[in-house]
Amino acid sequence: VQLVESGGGLVQAGGSLRLSCAASGDTFTINVMGWYRQAPGKQRELVATITSGEGSTNYADSVKGRFTISRDNAKNTIHLQMNSLKAEDAAGYYCNARKVRIGAPSDNYWGQGTQVTVSS
């Protein structure tokens, strides 16, 4: 599975950005896709996920009500709409795809990351 992110950039606090992640390769068995972020000196943290089946979503408390994850199954793409951006949202954002295996660790795939910078 290959993941390619796009849409990062510089935005003023209170502004919006939309990230996209296109998956290619063996995408048929992907169970969950999502976004993680990592700021300098901090651990990578979950931002939002969406399941491939029902499209169930999950968000970090810090982004609930501001970020929305969505998917386009026909294009094997997910999006992250980020509104009301704050300085603390600045980070490298990484797309993740996960294949869940029964009785074994999941297979995780990562994109190269896209930088989000928020100016105050």
Side-chain angles (χ1 to χ4, degrees):
V1 175
Q2 294 78 45
L3 304 172
V4 178
E5 301 107 331
S6 60
L10 172 65
V11 64
Q12 285 190 330
S16 298
L17 278 176
R18 186 176 189 239
L19 305 183
S20 297
C21 173
S24 61
D26 183 14
T27 62
F28 183 74
T29 53
I30 291 174
N31 302 104
V32 183
M33 291 187 70
W35 293 93
Y36 290 71
R37 68 186 181 187
Q38 187 169 19
K42 296 187 177 181
Q43 289 189 333
R44 188 170 295 190
E45 62 176 2
L46 179 146
V47 176
T49 60
I50 186 166
T51 64
S52 299
E54 297 181 350
S56 299
T57 58
N58 180 49
Y59 295 92
D61 288 343
S62 59
V63 307
K64 283 180 181 177
R66 300 188 297 122
F67 291 11
T68 302
I69 189 169
S70 61
R71 66 181 185 179
D72 182 341
N73 286 339
K75 296 182 179 179
N76 289 322
T77 299
I78 62 169
H79 305 283
L80 185 69
Q81 178 66 42
M82 305 186 294
N83 299 328
S84 302
L85 282 160
K86 305 175 181 179
E88 52 263 42
D89 295 318
Y93 281 71
Y94 297 86
C95 181
N96 170 266
R98 189 185 332 147
K99 297 183 179 182
V100 177
R101 295 194 290 163
I102 305 299
S106 300
D107 292 328
N108 276 287
Y109 303 87
W110 294 95
Q112 81 285 357
T114 186
Q115 187 66 34
V116 171
T117 303
V118 182
S119 64
S120 56

